[in-house]
Amino acid sequence: PNLLFDFFITRLANLCGSNSHNNNSLADNNAVMVLSALCKSPRAIIRKYAARALGSIGWDSNIDKRIINWDIISYFKLVKHQIIHSNKELFESNLDNFIKTGNFNNMIEYNEQLVNYIHNSTNEFNSTDFNPNNNKNNLSIRQMIKQRRQYALRNTRYYEKPNSSNQRLINMKDGIIPALIDLCNDNINNDWEIIRNAVLAICIASYEPKNHYDICNDNNCIELLIKMCNHKDDEIRTHAAITIANLCHNDEYAQLKFGELNAISVLLS
């Protein structure tokens, strides 16, 4: 059961932030509330990916669908191998029965169709973009790969943007940000990656002006952000500082709140 649950949360985290369509579809299905609940899981890997997904769902990227499909299938094959390996005797003894029912056979056929789809898509991608016969400018393979990577990076940056509607879902009143705050406090001496993801999620939420008032009225959140500015990890300090900057931008109330708690001297240190 743990492996299947790991598969669920990791794939959910990878879909979050992949593009605007996936982000909006996940939000429409109350993924934010599900992820908030998973932040309280006793297992560290679940908390880590839940916090990461909460941050990603508020920011639209532009990841190629073939990469998303390939990642899902690769991870599924890994999980399936681990499940079969750990229950090898049970799997072998019941395989004939599974095939006779038809359900397991259908699943195998579906999996093979997906693998073939990714295989064909990859071949098509390679033949179109990296085939020397299609090279009109007589570029080397290295140069072609470099240009393709540069194009992909420019394309991603062009389409990357904040998702304001989803950022409003990462708020105080629904308990999303308080769950992230608890996640930081509970893991302060344990897993820095969990803290990175949680502070990043709060940072993403701070880009939405409608979240500012509620965040600034929560002393626990303000104290956490100031404390994270002194953390040993550079990435955590960066996310915390950006969050404070977002909250204080054109907001005298937030500036006053952080000023009263000596945030300026912390940021300058």
Side-chain angles (χ1 to χ4, degrees):
N2 282 346
L3 284 173
L4 292 176
F5 210 77
D6 293 349
F7 175 77
F8 164 74
I9 185 61
T10 53
R11 296 315 91 201
L12 192 62
N14 276 21
L15 283 176
C16 289
S18 56
N19 55 58
S20 59
H21 174 74
N22 288 340
N23 272 348
N24 293 334
S25 297
L26 289 166
D28 292 341
N29 286 279
N30 289 329
V32 172
M33 301 304 296
V34 174
L35 294 169
S36 175
L38 293 176
C39 285
K40 302 175 183 178
S41 170
R43 300 179 61 221
I45 187 173
I46 301 299
R47 299 195 302 271
K48 177 179 69 176
Y49 281 104
R52 171 184 151 186
L54 278 174
S56 299
I57 203 171
W59 200 273
D60 297 336
S61 185
N62 183 45
I63 300 177
D64 195 296
K65 292 181 180 179
R66 291 170 294 186
I67 296 178
I68 299 174
N69 292 337
W70 173 83
D71 182 71
I72 292 172
I73 292 172
S74 298
Y75 197 89
F76 173 75
K77 291 171 69 175
L78 175 63
V79 171
K80 186 174 68 173
H81 172 74
Q82 291 176 342
I83 293 174
I84 292 175
H85 181 73
S86 60
N87 300 278
K88 188 174 181 180
E89 294 181 359
L90 179 63
F91 173 79
E92 291 178 348
S93 63
N94 293 305
L95 179 59
D96 292 337
N97 292 332
F98 281 136
I99 294 177
K100 289 178 181 178
T101 61
N103 295 331
F104 193 73
N105 189 48
N106 289 338
M107 188 178 74
I108 292 177
E109 292 177 358
Y110 177 68
N111 185 39
E112 289 177 347
Q113 289 174 4
L114 290 177
V115 172
N116 290 333
Y117 166 73
I118 295 300
H119 179 72
N120 294 333
S121 298
T122 305
N123 288 340
E124 180 183 354
F125 177 77
N126 289 336
S127 62
T128 302
D129 296 295
F130 299 107
N131 189 344
N133 296 327
N134 297 331
N135 183 8
K136 297 180 180 180
N137 297 320
N138 294 322
L139 298 175
S140 67
I141 296 297
R142 184 184 297 274
Q143 290 173 320
M144 293 172 64
I145 293 174
K146 182 179 179 180
Q147 286 193 1
R148 179 63 192 182
R149 286 177 176 173
Q150 291 175 342
Y151 168 78
L153 181 61
R154 289 195 300 269
N155 203 35
T156 298
R157 288 178 175 175
Y158 177 78
Y159 287 103
E160 186 175 327
K161 62 185 184 300
N163 191 317
S164 298
S165 59
N166 286 0
Q167 288 173 357
R168 287 193 287 271
L169 298 176
I170 311 172
N171 54 45
M172 296 294 300
K173 64 180 181 180
D174 292 329
I176 311 301
I177 293 180
L180 294 168
I181 295 172
D182 293 340
L183 206 55
C184 292
N185 291 327
D186 293 342
N187 294 276
I188 194 68
N189 297 317
N190 300 334
D191 195 329
W192 287 6
E193 188 171 358
I194 293 178
I195 300 176
R196 288 190 201 105
N197 293 340
V199 177
L200 175 61
I202 298 174
C203 180
I204 295 296
S206 70
Y207 280 91
E208 173 52 44
K210 292 185 178 180
N211 288 334
H212 287 188
Y213 183 78
D214 290 337
I215 294 176
C216 292
N217 271 329
D218 188 89
N219 289 331
N220 292 330
C221 186
I222 293 178
E223 292 172 0
L224 173 71
L225 292 172
I226 295 175
K227 181 169 65 175
M228 290 298 104
C229 287
N230 286 323
H231 199 279
K232 296 179 180 180
D233 184 74
D234 292 340
E235 191 173 342
I236 293 174
R237 293 200 305 269
T238 300
H239 294 326
I242 293 175
T243 305
I244 295 175
N246 289 340
L247 294 172
C248 293
H249 179 65
N250 289 334
D251 193 326
E252 294 183 2
Y253 178 70
Q255 295 168 7
L256 179 64
K257 291 283 290 187
F258 281 99
E260 290 175 347
L261 294 175
N262 203 30
I264 297 177
S265 60
V266 174
L267 290 169
L268 294 175
S269 62

